[in-house]
Coordinates of all heavy atoms in Angstrom, one line a residue:
M860 N 99.2 138.2 102.9 CA 97.8 138.1 103.3 C 97.5 138.9 104.5 O 98.3 139.0 105.4 CB 97.4 136.7 103.5 CG 96.7 136.0 102.3 SD 96.1 134.4 102.7 CE 97.3 133.5 101.7
D861 N 96.2 139.4 104.6 CA 95.9 140.1 105.9 C 95.5 139.1 106.9 O 95.3 137.9 106.7 CB 94.8 141.1 105.6 CG 93.5 140.5 105.1 OD1 93.2 139.4 105.5 OD2 92.7 141.2 104.5
G862 N 95.3 139.6 108.1 CA 94.9 138.7 109.3 C 93.6 138.0 109.1 O 93.4 136.9 109.5
E863 N 92.6 138.7 108.5 CA 91.3 138.1 108.3 C 91.4 137.0 107.3 O 90.7 135.9 107.5 CB 90.3 139.2 107.9 CG 89.9 140.1 109.0 CD 89.3 139.4 110.2 OE1 88.4 138.6 110.0 OE2 89.7 139.7 111.3
A864 N 92.1 137.2 106.3 CA 92.3 136.1 105.3 C 93.0 134.9 105.9 O 92.6 133.7 105.6 CB 93.0 136.6 104.1
D865 N 94.0 135.1 106.7 CA 94.7 134.1 107.4 C 93.8 133.3 108.3 O 93.8 132.1 108.3 CB 95.9 134.6 108.2 CG 97.0 135.1 107.4 OD1 97.1 134.7 106.2 OD2 97.9 135.8 107.9
K866 N 92.9 134.0 109.0 CA 91.9 133.3 109.9 C 91.0 132.5 109.1 O 90.6 131.3 109.5 CB 91.1 134.4 110.7 CG 91.8 135.0 111.8 CD 90.9 136.0 112.5 CE 91.6 136.9 113.4 NZ 90.8 137.9 114.0
R867 N 90.5 133.0 107.9 CA 89.6 132.2 107.1 C 90.3 130.9 106.6 O 89.7 129.9 106.5 CB 89.1 133.0 106.0 CG 88.1 134.1 106.4 CD 87.5 134.9 105.2 NE 87.0 136.1 105.7 CZ 87.5 137.3 105.5 NH1 88.6 137.5 104.8 NH2 86.9 138.4 106.0
I868 N 91.5 131.1 106.2 CA 92.2 129.9 105.6 C 92.4 128.9 106.8 O 92.2 127.7 106.6 CB 93.6 130.3 105.0 CG1 93.4 131.1 103.7 CG2 94.5 129.1 104.8 CD1 94.6 131.8 103.2
W869 N 92.8 129.3 108.0 CA 93.0 128.4 109.1 C 91.7 127.7 109.4 O 91.6 126.5 109.7 CB 93.6 129.0 110.3 CG 93.9 128.0 111.4 CD1 95.0 127.3 111.5 CD2 92.9 127.6 112.4 NE1 94.8 126.4 112.6 CE2 93.6 126.6 113.1 CE3 91.7 128.0 112.7 CZ2 92.9 125.9 114.2 CZ3 91.0 127.3 113.8 CH2 91.7 126.3 114.5
T870 N 90.6 128.5 109.5 CA 89.3 128.0 109.8 C 88.9 126.9 108.8 O 88.4 125.8 109.2 CB 88.2 129.1 109.9 OG1 88.6 130.0 110.8 CG2 86.9 128.5 110.2
A871 N 89.1 127.2 107.5 CA 88.7 126.2 106.5 C 89.6 124.9 106.6 O 89.1 123.8 106.5 CB 88.9 126.8 105.1
T872 N 90.8 125.1 106.9 CA 91.7 124.0 107.0 C 91.3 123.1 108.3 O 91.3 121.9 108.2 CB 93.2 124.5 107.2 OG1 93.5 125.2 106.0 CG2 94.2 123.3 107.3
A873 N 91.0 123.8 109.4 CA 90.6 123.1 110.6 C 89.3 122.4 110.4 O 89.1 121.2 110.8 CB 90.5 124.1 111.8
M874 N 88.3 123.0 109.7 CA 87.0 122.4 109.5 C 87.2 121.2 108.6 O 86.6 120.2 108.8 CB 86.1 123.4 108.9 CG 85.8 124.6 109.8 SD 84.9 124.1 111.3 CE 83.2 124.0 110.6
T875 N 88.1 121.3 107.6 CA 88.3 120.1 106.8 C 88.9 119.0 107.6 O 88.6 117.8 107.4 CB 89.3 120.5 105.6 OG1 88.7 121.5 104.8 CG2 89.6 119.3 104.7
A876 N 89.8 119.3 108.5 CA 90.5 118.3 109.3 C 89.5 117.7 110.3 O 89.8 116.5 110.7 CB 91.6 119.0 110.1
L877 N 88.4 118.3 110.6 CA 87.4 117.8 111.5 C 86.2 117.2 110.8 O 85.2 116.9 111.4 CB 86.9 118.8 112.5 CG 88.0 119.3 113.5 CD1 87.4 120.5 114.2 CD2 88.3 118.2 114.4
S878 N 86.3 117.0 109.4 CA 85.2 116.7 108.6 C 84.8 115.2 108.6 O 84.0 114.8 107.7 CB 85.4 117.2 107.2 OG 86.4 116.5 106.6
H879 N 85.4 114.4 109.5 CA 85.1 113.0 109.5 C 84.9 112.5 110.9 O 85.7 112.9 111.8 CB 86.2 112.2 108.8 CG 85.8 110.8 108.4 ND1 85.7 109.8 109.4 CD2 85.5 110.3 107.2 CE1 85.3 108.7 108.8 NE2 85.2 108.9 107.5
P880 N 83.9 111.7 111.2 CA 83.7 111.2 112.6 C 84.9 110.5 113.2 O 85.2 110.6 114.4 CB 82.5 110.3 112.4 CG 81.9 110.6 111.2 CD 82.9 111.2 110.3
R881 N 85.7 109.8 112.4 CA 86.9 109.2 112.9 C 87.9 110.2 113.4 O 88.6 109.9 114.3 CB 87.5 108.2 111.8 CG 86.7 107.0 111.6 CD 87.4 106.0 110.7 NE 86.6 104.8 110.6 CZ 86.6 104.1 109.5 NH1 87.4 104.4 108.5 NH2 85.9 103.0 109.5
R882 N 88.0 111.3 112.7 CA 89.0 112.3 113.1 C 88.5 112.9 114.5 O 89.4 113.2 115.3 CB 89.1 113.4 112.1 CG 89.7 112.9 110.8 CD 89.8 113.9 109.7 NE 90.2 113.2 108.5 CZ 90.0 113.7 107.3 NH1 89.5 115.0 107.1 NH2 90.4 113.1 106.2
V883 N 87.3 113.1 114.6 CA 86.8 113.6 115.9 C 87.1 112.6 117.0 O 87.5 112.9 118.1 CB 85.2 113.9 115.9 CG1 84.7 114.3 117.2 CG2 85.0 115.0 114.8
A884 N 86.9 111.3 116.7 CA 87.2 110.2 117.7 C 88.7 110.2 118.0 O 89.0 110.0 119.1 CB 86.7 108.9 117.1
I885 N 89.5 110.5 117.0 CA 91.0 110.5 117.3 C 91.3 111.6 118.2 O 92.0 111.4 119.2 CB 91.7 110.6 115.9 CG1 91.6 109.4 115.1 CG2 93.2 111.0 116.2 CD1 92.1 109.5 113.7
L886 N 90.7 112.8 118.0 CA 90.9 113.9 118.9 C 90.5 113.6 120.3 O 91.2 113.9 121.3 CB 90.2 115.2 118.4 CG 90.8 115.9 117.3 CD1 90.0 117.2 116.9 CD2 92.3 116.4 117.7
E887 N 89.3 113.0 120.4 CA 88.8 112.6 121.8 C 89.7 111.6 122.4 O 89.9 111.6 123.6 CB 87.4 112.1 121.6 CG 86.4 113.2 121.2 CD 85.0 112.6 120.9 OE1 84.8 111.4 120.6 OE2 84.1 113.4 120.8
T888 N 90.2 110.7 121.7 CA 91.2 109.7 122.2 C 92.4 110.3 122.7 O 92.9 110.0 123.8 CB 91.5 108.6 121.1 OG1 90.3 108.0 120.7 CG2 92.4 107.5 121.7
L889 N 93.0 111.2 121.9 CA 94.2 111.9 122.3 C 94.0 112.8 123.6 O 94.8 113.0 124.4 CB 94.8 112.8 121.2 CG 95.4 112.0 120.0 CD1 95.7 112.9 118.9 CD2 96.6 111.3 120.5
Q890 N 92.8 113.4 123.7 CA 92.4 114.2 124.8 C 92.5 113.5 126.1 O 92.9 114.0 127.1 CB 91.0 114.8 124.6 CG 90.5 115.5 125.9 CD 89.0 115.5 126.0 OE1 88.3 114.9 125.1 NE2 88.5 116.1 127.0
R891 N 92.2 112.2 126.1 CA 92.2 111.4 127.3 C 93.5 111.1 127.9 O 93.6 110.6 129.0 CB 91.4 110.1 127.1 CG 90.0 110.3 126.8 CD 89.3 108.9 126.7 NE 88.1 109.1 125.9 CZ 87.9 108.7 124.7 NH1 88.8 107.9 124.1 NH2 86.8 108.9 124.0
D892 N 94.6 111.4 127.2 CA 96.0 111.0 127.6 C 96.9 112.3 127.5 O 97.4 112.6 126.5 CB 96.5 109.9 126.8 CG 97.6 109.2 127.6 OD1 98.5 109.8 128.1 OD2 97.6 107.9 127.6
A893 N 97.1 112.9 128.7 CA 97.9 114.2 128.7 C 99.3 114.0 128.2 O 100.0 114.9 127.7 CB 97.8 114.8 130.1
K894 N 99.9 112.8 128.4 CA 101.3 112.5 128.1 C 101.5 112.3 126.6 O 102.6 112.1 126.1 CB 101.9 111.4 128.9 CG 101.3 110.0 128.7 CD 102.1 109.0 129.5 CE 101.5 107.6 129.4 NZ 101.2 107.1 128.1
G895 N 100.4 112.2 125.9 CA 100.4 111.9 124.5 C 100.4 110.4 124.2 O 100.6 109.6 125.1
L896 N 100.2 110.0 123.0 CA 100.2 108.6 122.6 C 101.1 108.4 121.5 O 101.2 109.2 120.6 CB 98.7 108.2 122.2 CG 97.7 108.2 123.3 CD1 96.3 108.0 122.7 CD2 97.9 107.2 124.4
S897 N 101.7 107.2 121.5 CA 102.5 106.8 120.3 C 101.5 106.5 119.2 O 100.4 106.2 119.4 CB 103.4 105.7 120.6 OG 102.7 104.5 120.8
F898 N 102.0 106.4 118.0 CA 101.2 106.0 116.8 C 100.6 104.6 117.1 O 99.4 104.4 116.9 CB 102.1 106.0 115.6 CG 101.3 105.7 114.3 CD1 100.6 106.7 113.7 CD2 101.2 104.4 113.8 CE1 99.9 106.4 112.5 CE2 100.5 104.1 112.7 CZ 99.8 105.1 112.0
E899 N 101.5 103.7 117.7 CA 101.0 102.3 117.9 C 99.9 102.3 119.0 O 98.9 101.6 118.9 CB 102.2 101.5 118.4 CG 103.2 101.2 117.3 CD 104.1 102.4 117.0 OE1 104.2 103.3 117.8 OE2 104.8 102.3 115.9
E900 N 100.1 103.1 120.0 CA 99.0 103.2 121.1 C 97.7 103.8 120.5 O 96.6 103.3 120.8 CB 99.5 104.1 122.2 CG 100.6 103.5 123.1 CD 101.2 104.5 124.0 OE1 101.4 105.7 123.7 OE2 101.6 104.1 125.1
L901 N 97.9 104.8 119.6 CA 96.7 105.3 119.0 C 96.0 104.3 118.1 O 94.8 104.2 118.1 CB 97.0 106.6 118.3 CG 95.9 107.5 117.8 CD1 94.9 107.9 118.9 CD2 96.4 108.8 117.1
L902 N 96.8 103.5 117.4 CA 96.2 102.5 116.6 C 95.4 101.5 117.4 O 94.3 101.1 117.1 CB 97.3 101.7 115.9 CG 97.9 102.1 114.6 CD1 99.1 101.3 114.2 CD2 96.9 102.1 113.5
E903 N 96.0 101.1 118.5 CA 95.3 100.1 119.4 C 94.0 100.7 120.0 O 93.0 100.0 120.0 CB 96.3 99.8 120.6 CG 95.7 98.7 121.5 CD 96.7 98.3 122.6 OE1 97.9 98.1 122.3 OE2 96.3 98.3 123.7
R904 N 94.1 101.9 120.4 CA 92.9 102.5 121.1 C 91.8 102.9 120.1 O 90.6 102.9 120.5 CB 93.3 103.8 121.9 CG 94.2 103.4 123.1 CD 94.4 104.5 124.0 NE 95.4 104.2 125.0 CZ 95.8 104.9 126.0 NH1 95.2 106.1 126.1 NH2 96.7 104.6 126.8
T905 N 92.1 103.2 118.9 CA 91.1 103.5 117.9 C 90.6 102.3 117.1 O 89.5 102.4 116.6 CB 91.6 104.6 116.9 OG1 92.7 104.1 116.2 CG2 91.9 105.9 117.6
G906 N 91.4 101.3 117.0 CA 91.1 100.1 116.3 C 91.2 100.3 114.8 O 90.7 99.5 114.0
L907 N 91.8 101.4 114.4 CA 92.0 101.7 112.9 C 93.2 100.9 112.4 O 94.1 100.5 113.1 CB 92.2 103.2 112.7 CG 91.0 104.1 113.2 CD1 91.4 105.5 113.0 CD2 89.8 103.8 112.4
T908 N 93.2 100.8 111.1 CA 94.4 100.2 110.4 C 95.5 101.3 110.3 O 95.2 102.5 110.4 CB 94.1 99.7 109.0 OG1 93.7 100.8 108.2 CG2 93.0 98.7 109.0
I909 N 96.7 100.9 110.0 CA 97.8 101.9 109.8 C 97.5 102.9 108.7 O 97.6 104.1 108.9 CB 99.1 101.1 109.5 CG1 99.6 100.3 110.7 CG2 100.2 102.1 109.1 CD1 100.7 99.4 110.4
S910 N 97.0 102.4 107.6 CA 96.7 103.3 106.5 C 95.6 104.3 106.8 O 95.6 105.4 106.4 CB 96.5 102.5 105.2 OG 95.3 101.7 105.3
T911 N 94.6 103.8 107.5 CA 93.4 104.6 107.8 C 93.8 105.7 108.8 O 93.5 106.9 108.6 CB 92.3 103.8 108.3 OG1 91.9 102.9 107.3 CG2 91.1 104.7 108.7
L912 N 94.6 105.3 109.8 CA 95.0 106.3 110.8 C 95.9 107.3 110.2 O 95.8 108.5 110.4 CB 95.7 105.6 112.0 CG 96.2 106.5 113.1 CD1 95.0 107.4 113.7 CD2 96.8 105.7 114.3
T913 N 96.9 106.9 109.4 CA 97.8 107.8 108.7 C 97.0 108.8 107.8 O 97.2 110.0 107.8 CB 98.8 107.0 107.8 OG1 99.5 106.1 108.7 CG2 99.7 107.9 107.1
H914 N 96.0 108.3 107.1 CA 95.1 109.1 106.2 C 94.4 110.2 107.0 O 94.4 111.3 106.6 CB 94.1 108.2 105.5 CG 93.0 108.9 104.8 ND1 93.2 109.6 103.6 CD2 91.7 109.2 105.2 CE1 92.1 110.1 103.3 NE2 91.2 109.9 104.2
H915 N 93.9 109.8 108.2 CA 93.2 110.8 109.0 C 94.1 111.8 109.8 O 93.7 112.9 110.0 CB 92.2 110.1 110.0 CG 91.0 109.5 109.3 ND1 90.1 110.2 108.5 CD2 90.6 108.2 109.1 CE1 89.2 109.5 108.0 NE2 89.5 108.2 108.4
L916 N 95.3 111.3 110.1 CA 96.2 112.2 110.9 C 96.8 113.3 110.0 O 97.0 114.4 110.4 CB 97.3 111.4 111.5 CG 97.0 110.7 112.8 CD1 98.2 109.8 113.2 CD2 96.6 111.6 113.9
R917 N 96.9 113.0 108.7 CA 97.6 113.9 107.8 C 96.9 115.3 107.8 O 97.5 116.3 108.0 CB 97.6 113.3 106.4 CG 98.5 114.1 105.4 CD 98.7 113.4 104.1 NE 99.4 112.1 104.3 CZ 98.9 110.9 103.9 NH1 97.7 110.8 103.4 NH2 99.6 109.9 104.2
P918 N 95.6 115.4 107.5 CA 95.0 116.8 107.6 C 94.9 117.4 109.0 O 95.0 118.6 109.1 CB 93.6 116.5 107.0 CG 93.3 115.1 107.1 CD 94.6 114.4 107.1
M919 N 94.9 116.5 110.0 CA 94.8 117.0 111.4 C 96.2 117.6 111.7 O 96.2 118.7 112.4 CB 94.4 115.9 112.3 CG 93.0 115.4 112.0 SD 92.6 113.9 112.9 CE 92.5 114.4 114.6
K920 N 97.2 117.0 111.3 CA 98.6 117.6 111.5 C 98.8 118.9 110.7 O 99.3 119.9 111.1 CB 99.7 116.6 111.2 CG 99.8 115.5 112.2 CD 101.0 114.6 111.8 CE 101.4 113.7 112.9 NZ 102.5 112.8 112.5
A921 N 98.3 118.9 109.4 CA 98.4 120.1 108.6 C 97.7 121.3 109.2 O 98.1 122.4 109.1 CB 97.8 119.8 107.2
A922 N 96.6 121.0 109.9 CA 95.8 122.1 110.5 C 96.4 122.4 111.9 O 95.8 123.3 112.6 CB 94.3 121.7 110.6
K923 N 97.4 121.7 112.3 CA 98.0 121.8 113.6 C 97.1 121.5 114.8 O 97.2 122.0 115.9 CB 98.6 123.2 113.8 CG 99.7 123.4 112.7 CD 100.6 124.6 113.0 CE 101.7 124.9 112.1 NZ 101.9 124.2 110.9
L924 N 96.1 120.6 114.5 CA 95.2 120.2 115.5 C 95.9 119.1 116.3 O 95.6 118.8 117.5 CB 93.9 119.7 115.0 CG 93.0 120.7 114.2 CD1 91.8 120.1 113.6 CD2 92.7 121.9 115.1
V925 N 96.7 118.3 115.6 CA 97.5 117.2 116.3 C 99.0 117.6 116.0 O 99.3 117.9 114.9 CB 97.1 115.9 115.7 CG1 98.1 114.8 116.2 CG2 95.7 115.5 116.0
I926 N 99.8 117.5 117.0 CA 101.2 117.7 116.9 C 101.9 116.5 117.4 O 101.4 115.7 118.1 CB 101.7 119.0 117.7 CG1 101.3 118.9 119.2 CG2 101.1 120.2 117.1 CD1 101.8 120.0 120.0
S927 N 103.2 116.3 116.9 CA 104.0 115.2 117.4 C 105.3 115.8 118.0 O 105.8 116.8 117.5 CB 104.3 114.2 116.2 OG 104.9 114.9 115.2
K928 N 105.7 115.1 119.1 CA 106.9 115.5 119.8 C 107.7 114.3 120.0 O 107.2 113.3 120.5 CB 106.6 116.2 121.1 CG 106.0 117.6 121.0 CD 105.8 118.2 122.4 CE 105.2 119.6 122.3 NZ 104.9 120.1 123.6
R929 N 109.0 114.4 119.8 CA 109.9 113.3 120.1 C 110.3 113.3 121.6 O 110.7 114.4 122.1 CB 111.2 113.4 119.2 CG 112.2 112.2 119.5 CD 113.2 112.1 118.4 NE 112.7 111.8 117.1 CZ 112.4 110.5 116.8 NH1 112.4 109.6 117.6 NH2 112.0 110.3 115.5
K930 N 110.2 112.2 122.2 CA 110.6 112.0 123.6 C 111.5 110.8 123.7 O 111.1 109.7 123.7 CB 109.4 111.8 124.5 CG 108.5 113.0 124.7 CD 107.4 112.6 125.7 CE 106.8 113.9 126.3 NZ 105.8 113.5 127.4
G931 N 112.8 111.1 123.6 CA 113.8 110.0 123.5 C 113.6 109.2 122.2 O 113.6 109.8 121.1
H932 N 113.3 107.9 122.3 CA 113.1 107.1 121.1 C 111.6 107.1 120.7 O 111.3 106.5 119.7 CB 113.5 105.7 121.4 CG 115.0 105.6 121.6 ND1 116.0 106.1 120.8 CD2 115.7 105.0 122.6 CE1 117.2 105.9 121.3 NE2 117.0 105.2 122.4
R933 N 110.8 107.7 121.5 CA 109.3 107.7 121.3 C 108.8 109.0 120.7 O 109.3 110.1 121.0 CB 108.7 107.5 122.7 CG 107.2 107.4 122.7 CD 106.7 107.2 124.1 NE 105.3 107.0 124.2 CZ 104.4 107.9 124.5 NH1 104.9 109.1 124.8 NH2 103.2 107.7 124.5
V934 N 107.9 108.9 119.7 CA 107.3 110.1 119.2 C 105.8 110.0 119.7 O 105.1 109.1 119.5 CB 107.3 110.1 117.6 CG1 106.5 111.3 117.1 CG2 108.7 110.1 117.1
A935 N 105.5 111.1 120.4 CA 104.1 111.1 121.0 C 103.3 112.1 120.2 O 103.7 113.2 119.8 CB 104.2 111.6 122.5
L936 N 102.0 111.7 120.0 CA 101.0 112.5 119.4 C 100.2 113.2 120.4 O 99.7 112.6 121.4 CB 100.1 111.7 118.4 CG 100.9 111.0 117.3 CD1 100.0 109.9 116.7 CD2 101.3 112.0 116.2
Y937 N 99.9 114.5 120.2 CA 99.1 115.3 121.2 C 98.1 116.1 120.4 O 98.3 116.4 119.3 CB 100.0 116.3 121.9 CG 101.1 115.8 122.7 CD1 102.4 115.5 122.2 CD2 101.0 115.7 124.1 CE1 103.4 115.1 122.9 CE2 102.0 115.2 124.9 CZ 103.2 114.9 124.3 OH 104.3 114.5 125.1
I938 N 97.1 116.5 121.2 CA 96.2 117.6 120.6 C 96.9 118.9 121.0 O 97.6 119.0 122.0 CB 94.8 117.5 121.1 CG1 94.7 117.5 122.6 CG2 94.0 116.3 120.5 CD1 93.3 117.7 123.2
D939 N 96.7 119.9 120.2 CA 97.4 121.1 120.3 C 96.6 122.0 121.3 O 96.0 123.0 120.9 CB 97.6 121.8 119.0 CG 98.6 123.0 119.1 OD1 99.3 123.1 120.2 OD2 98.7 123.8 118.2
G940 N 96.6 121.7 122.6 CA 96.0 122.5 123.6 C 94.5 122.4 123.7 O 93.9 121.8 123.0
G941 N 94.0 123.1 124.8 CA 92.6 123.1 125.1 C 91.8 123.8 124.1 O 90.6 123.6 124.0
A942 N 92.3 124.7 123.4 CA 91.5 125.5 122.4 C 90.9 124.6 121.4 O 89.7 124.8 121.0 CB 92.4 126.5 121.7
V943 N 91.6 123.5 121.0 CA 91.0 122.6 120.0 C 89.7 122.0 120.6 O 88.7 121.9 119.9 CB 92.0 121.5 119.6 CG1 91.4 120.4 118.7 CG2 93.2 122.1 118.9
L944 N 89.8 121.5 121.8 CA 88.7 120.8 122.4 C 87.5 121.8 122.7 O 86.4 121.4 122.5 CB 89.1 120.2 123.7 CG 90.1 119.0 123.5 CD1 90.6 118.5 124.8 CD2 89.5 117.9 122.7
K945 N 87.9 123.0 123.1 CA 86.8 124.0 123.3 C 86.1 124.3 122.0 O 84.9 124.5 121.9 CB 87.4 125.3 123.9 CG 87.8 125.2 125.3 CD 88.4 126.5 125.8 CE 88.9 126.3 127.3 NZ 89.6 127.5 127.8
T946 N 86.9 124.4 120.9 CA 86.3 124.7 119.6 C 85.4 123.5 119.2 O 84.3 123.7 118.7 CB 87.4 124.9 118.5 OG1 88.2 126.0 118.9 CG2 86.8 125.1 117.1
L947 N 85.9 122.3 119.3 CA 85.1 121.1 119.0 C 83.8 121.1 119.8 O 82.7 120.8 119.3 CB 85.9 119.9 119.2 CG 85.3 118.5 118.9 CD1 84.9 118.5 117.4 CD2 86.3 117.4 119.2
A948 N 83.9 121.3 121.1 CA 82.7 121.3 122.0 C 81.7 122.4 121.6 O 80.5 122.1 121.5 CB 83.1 121.5 123.5
S949 N 82.2 123.5 121.2 CA 81.4 124.6 120.7 C 80.6 124.2 119.4 O 79.4 124.5 119.3 CB 82.2 125.9 120.5 OG 81.4 126.9 120.1
L950 N 81.4 123.6 118.5 CA 80.8 123.2 117.3 C 79.7 122.1 117.5 O 78.6 122.2 117.0 CB 81.8 122.6 116.4 CG 82.7 123.6 115.6 CD1 83.9 122.8 114.9 CD2 81.9 124.3 114.6
Q951 N 80.0 121.2 118.4 CA 79.1 120.1 118.7 C 77.8 120.7 119.4 O 76.7 120.3 119.0 CB 79.7 119.0 119.6 CG 80.7 118.2 118.8 CD 81.5 117.3 119.7 OE1 81.8 117.6 120.9 NE2 82.0 116.1 119.2
S952 N 78.0 121.6 120.2 CA 76.9 122.3 120.9 C 76.0 123.0 119.9 O 74.8 122.9 120.0 CB 77.4 123.2 122.0 OG 76.4 123.9 122.6
G953 N 76.6 123.8 119.0 CA 75.9 124.5 118.0 C 75.1 123.6 117.1 O 74.0 123.9 116.7
I954 N 75.7 122.5 116.7 CA 75.1 121.5 115.8 C 73.9 120.9 116.5 O 72.8 120.8 115.9 CB 76.1 120.5 115.3 CG1 77.1 121.1 114.4 CG2 75.4 119.3 114.6 CD1 78.3 120.3 114.1
E955 N 74.1 120.5 117.8 CA 73.0 119.9 118.5 C 71.8 120.9 118.7 O 70.6 120.5 118.5 CB 73.4 119.5 119.9 CG 74.3 118.2 119.9 CD 73.5 117.0 119.3 OE1 72.3 116.8 119.7 OE2 74.1 116.3 118.5
A956 N 72.1 122.2 118.9 CA 71.1 123.2 119.0 C 70.3 123.4 117.7 O 69.1 123.5 117.7 CB 71.7 124.5 119.5
A957 N 71.1 123.3 116.6 CA 70.4 123.5 115.3 C 69.5 122.3 115.0 O 68.5 122.4 114.3 CB 71.5 123.6 114.2
R958 N 69.9 121.1 115.5 CA 69.1 119.9 115.2 C 67.9 119.7 116.2 O 67.1 118.9 116.0 CB 70.0 118.7 115.3 CG 71.1 118.6 114.2 CD 72.0 117.5 114.4 NE 71.3 116.2 114.4 CZ 71.8 115.0 114.7 NH1 73.0 114.9 115.0 NH2 71.1 113.9 114.6
S959 N 67.9 120.5 117.2 CA 66.9 120.4 118.2 C 65.5 120.7 117.7 O 65.3 121.7 117.0 CB 67.2 121.3 119.4 OG 66.1 121.4 120.3
P960 N 64.5 119.8 118.0 CA 63.1 120.1 117.5 C 62.5 121.3 118.3 O 61.6 121.9 117.8 CB 62.4 118.8 117.9 CG 63.2 118.1 118.9 CD 64.6 118.6 118.7
K961 N 63.1 121.7 119.4 CA 62.6 122.9 120.1 C 63.2 124.2 119.6 O 62.9 125.2 120.2 CB 63.0 122.7 121.6 CG 62.4 121.5 122.3 CD 62.8 121.4 123.7 CE 62.2 120.1 124.3 NZ 62.7 119.8 125.6
R962 N 63.9 124.1 118.6 CA 64.5 125.3 118.0 C 63.5 126.3 117.5 O 62.5 125.8 116.8 CB 65.5 124.9 116.9 CG 66.2 126.0 116.3 CD 67.2 125.5 115.3 NE 67.7 126.5 114.4 CZ 68.0 126.4 113.2 NH1 67.9 125.3 112.6 NH2 68.5 127.4 112.5
P963 N 63.5 127.5 117.9 CA 62.5 128.5 117.4 C 62.5 128.6 115.9 O 63.5 128.7 115.3 CB 62.8 129.8 118.1 CG 64.2 129.7 118.6 CD 64.5 128.2 118.7
K964 N 61.3 128.7 115.3 CA 61.2 128.9 113.9 C 61.4 130.4 113.6 O 61.0 131.3 114.3 CB 59.8 128.5 113.4 CG 59.4 127.1 113.7 CD 59.7 126.2 112.6 CE 59.2 124.8 112.9 NZ 60.0 123.8 112.5
L965 N 62.1 130.6 112.4 CA 62.3 132.0 112.0 C 61.0 132.5 111.4 O 60.3 131.8 110.7 CB 63.4 132.0 110.9 CG 64.8 131.6 111.4 CD1 65.8 131.6 110.2 CD2 65.3 132.5 112.5
A966 N 60.7 133.8 111.6 CA 59.5 134.4 111.1 C 59.6 134.6 109.6 O 60.7 134.9 109.1 CB 59.3 135.7 111.8
A967 N 58.6 134.3 108.9 CA 58.6 134.5 107.4 C 58.6 136.0 107.1 O 58.0 136.8 107.8 CB 57.4 133.8 106.8
S968 N 59.4 136.3 106.1 CA 59.5 137.8 105.7 C 58.7 138.1 104.5 O 58.3 137.3 103.8 CB 60.9 138.2 105.6 OG 61.6 137.3 104.8

């Protein structure tokens, strides 16, 4: 595959991984803790059940938005760098702008 096709595939995968409000909340929760969180800590902070959290983490890990690293006996979950948060903030900003009642109307053609 060429580079452009790879970008499109990654973009679609990442957008799918962000397609649920709980997944966005999981990213925001992970953002608040630079040392990463264990699965149990993430369960506690999100209030989700084991099966629900597992369900939502699966596409986020596949898109490499969330990574896991072993630290001794502990496996910590992290967001994969600031780029993820910048992308999320940009998307949220664009969506808010699109929803704004002050948005200029397009001229009829």
